């Protein structure tokens, strides 16, 4: 009789992998048997040998594999939850031709499992280091139907187009034309798209010359590099060296109008709209981002701030600028901390009126959109005229025009 030695680490990896998949099925992230089977099979820990098994199989946390000189993450293996979420959005079928933009190995292997032996998978990265890591991992796990390409994916990968699905695993501010053009009509594009600083991974379907979103999930991703990169504009709030404003779609045309804004009395208005502890408010964030004038976010340095801008009571900030007026959202909690009410602080020559106008936006969300599905998002080419774009709001970017419509409950 021959003794068979079983690697205890491999046993533990299998156990942890199955535990992750069980958790993602339980929380509703994984719903299809094919995604479940792929994620149970691929040994993702082999792609991150520098990480512990527990970190490699952390359900909701990525493994950072590369940083720049400032400590910013430039490459990572996304958390299993995010990967499963995007795979479900992509609806990859046997025989599909799929492009992955942004690579590190495991996700390309999942895609290859879903596309099967008759499918074709191309994964591309602008950086040769993660591309080499991916190639090594794919070779080690015998996923031979995956092409690894080093290139700036702003132009897609035309050599292997058209694609049935494109999955983007880096945060994008805009959608270059190639990503739509290289999709078959009816093909699926899954992309973490930033709109006014808020990132959602959207599942789009190509319909002729434009894309229509069929799903959206809150997420966070390393930002795209190369020609498609986009830096937020920042400015210091006049009168407070500790408050920095971050504009994703463009700073005010005349920021000097805010000079002296903090010398005016602070207005305070409460909306009457409350949320329960732990209640998702992602649609409120997006509603504000697409309705308030010159939406931005702010960061506060406690060592430099004057203290004029008080704590918001939130883990994030939502700020609006309208000429010489400046306002931001705040919350107040009930004594038992079971509910919180939204309100606004505002400064400027019309601070009280501005606070009230911002409050009305939240009240409209509470009455008409809170219990409705999220916004309908569609993406059109930049040259598309207004009369061909339906929707409540149009957000213009370099290559595209994003239509945002809000259904009523």
């Amino acid at each position: 009789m021959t003794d068979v030695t079983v690697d205890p680490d491999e046993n533990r990896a299998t156990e942890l992998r199955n535990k992750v998949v069980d958790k993602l099925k339980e929380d509703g992230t994984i719903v299809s048997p094919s995604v479940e089977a792929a994620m149970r099979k691929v040994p993702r820990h082999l792609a991150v040998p520098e990480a512990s098994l527990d970190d490699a199989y952390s359900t909701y946390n990525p493994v950072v594999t590369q940083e720049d000189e400032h400590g910013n993450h430039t490459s990572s293996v996304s958390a299993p939850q995010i990967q499963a979420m995007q795979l479900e959005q992509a609806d990859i079928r046997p025989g599909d031709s799929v492009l992955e933009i942004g690579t590190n190995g495991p996700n390309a292997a999942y895609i290859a499992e879903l596309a099967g032996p008759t499918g074709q998978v191309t994964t591309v990265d602008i950086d040769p280091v993660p591309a080499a890591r991916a190639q090594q991992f794919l070779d080690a796990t015998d996923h031979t139907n995956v092409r690894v390409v080093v290139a700036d994916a702003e132009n897609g990968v035309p050599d292997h187009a058209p694609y049935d699905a494109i999955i983007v695993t880096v945060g994008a501010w805009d959608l270059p034309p190639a990503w739509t053009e290289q999709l078959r009509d009816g093909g699926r594009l899954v992309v973490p798209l930033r709109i006014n600083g808020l990132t959602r991974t959207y599942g789009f379907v190509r319909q002729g010359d434009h894309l229509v979103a069929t799903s959206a999930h809150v997420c966070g991703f390393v930002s795209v590099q190369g020609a498609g990169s986009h830096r937020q504009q920042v400015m210091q709030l006049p009168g407070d060296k500790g408050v920095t404003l971050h504009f994703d779609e463009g700073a005010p045309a005349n920021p000097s109008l805010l000079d002296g804004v903090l010398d005016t009395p602070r207005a305070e208005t409460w909306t009457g709209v409350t949320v329960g502890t732990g209640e998702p408010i992602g649609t409120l964030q997006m509603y504000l981002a697409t309705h308030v004038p010159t939406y931005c976010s702010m960061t506060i340095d406690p060592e430099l701030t004057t203290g004029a801008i008080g704590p918001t009571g939130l883990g994030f900030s939502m700020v609006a600028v309208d000429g010489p007026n400046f306002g931001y959202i705040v919350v107040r909690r009930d004594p038992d901390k079971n509910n919180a009410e939204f309100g606004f602080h505002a400064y400027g020559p019309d601070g009280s009126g501005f606070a009230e106008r911002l409050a009305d936006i939240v009240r409209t969300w509470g009455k008409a959109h809170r219990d409705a599905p999220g916004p309908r998002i569609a993406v059109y080419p930049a040259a598309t005229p207004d009369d061909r774009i339906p929707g409540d709001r149009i957000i213009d970017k370099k290559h595209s025009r994003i239509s945002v419509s809000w259904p009523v409950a």
Side-chain angles (χ1 to χ4, degrees), residues 231-290:
R231 289 186 177 274
Q232 291 185 329
Q233 293 178 261
V234 298
M235 64 171 278
Q236 179 186 304
L237 181 66
D240 197 325
K241 293 182 179 179
V243 178
T244 303
L245 305 182
H246 305 261
F247 298 88
D248 201 47
E249 307 294 343
N254 188 1
S256 64
L257 290 175
L258 288 174
D259 291 347
V261 68
L262 294 182
D263 296 330
T264 64
R266 186 177 79 183
E268 182 176 295
T269 296
W270 295 95
T271 64
V273 177
T274 62
V275 297
T277 300
E279 181 180 344
I281 57 168
T283 61
L284 172 59
Q285 290 176 284
M286 187 62 75
Y287 192 76
L288 285 166
T290 55

Side-chain angles (χ1 to χ4, degrees), residues 53-66:
L53 285 178
D54 285 328
D55 287 343
Y57 288 104
S58 175
T59 306
Y60 303 108
N61 297 309
V63 177
V64 177
T65 57
Q66 199 169 309

Side-chain angles (χ1 to χ4, degrees), residues 199-346:
T199 300
R200 307 287 187 263
T201 177
Y202 291 99
F204 289 105
V205 173
R206 179 177 178 180
Q207 296 183 1
D209 69 344
H210 66 281
L211 301 162
V212 176
T214 57
S215 61
H217 304 293
V218 176
C219 65
F221 276 84
V222 171
S223 295
V224 69
Q225 301 177 53
S229 64
H230 177 81
R231 289 186 177 274
Q232 291 185 329
Q233 293 178 261
V234 298
M235 64 171 278
Q236 179 186 304
L237 181 66
D240 197 325
K241 293 182 179 179
V243 178
T244 303
L245 305 182
H246 305 261
F247 298 88
D248 201 47
E249 307 294 343
N254 188 1
S256 64
L257 290 175
L258 288 174
D259 291 347
V261 68
L262 294 182
D263 296 330
T264 64
R266 186 177 79 183
E268 182 176 295
T269 296
W270 295 95
T271 64
V273 177
T274 62
V275 297
T277 300
E279 181 180 344
I281 57 168
T283 61
L284 172 59
Q285 290 176 284
M286 187 62 75
Y287 192 76
L288 285 166
T290 55
H291 282 79
V292 304
T294 317
Y295 176 92
C296 65
S297 61
M298 68 179 173
T299 53
I300 298 176
D301 185 335
E303 295 184 1
L304 296 177
T305 184
T306 64
I309 307 299
T312 64
L314 292 159
F316 56 88
S317 61
M318 292 184 282
V319 179
V321 177
D322 187 11
N325 300 301
F326 167 84
Y328 59 95
I329 196 166
V330 293
V331 297
R332 60 183 177 187
R333 304 184 188 280
D334 67 10
D336 297 326
K337 296 185 177 180
N338 293 323
N339 293 285
E341 181 184 3
F342 291 110
F344 284 92
H345 291 170

Side-chain angles (χ1 to χ4, degrees), residues 58 69 88 92 114 154 236 256 326 357 364:
S58 175
E69 65 273 18
E88 292 287 2
I92 298 166
L114 293 167
E154 180 80 354
Q236 179 186 304
S256 64
F326 167 84
R357 291 195 296 276
T364 299

Side-chain angles (χ1 to χ4, degrees), residues 2-15:
T2 303
D3 291 332
V4 178
T5 302
V6 178
D7 185 341
D9 282 348
E10 288 302 318
N11 276 346
R12 175 154 172 73
T14 300
E15 177 186 335

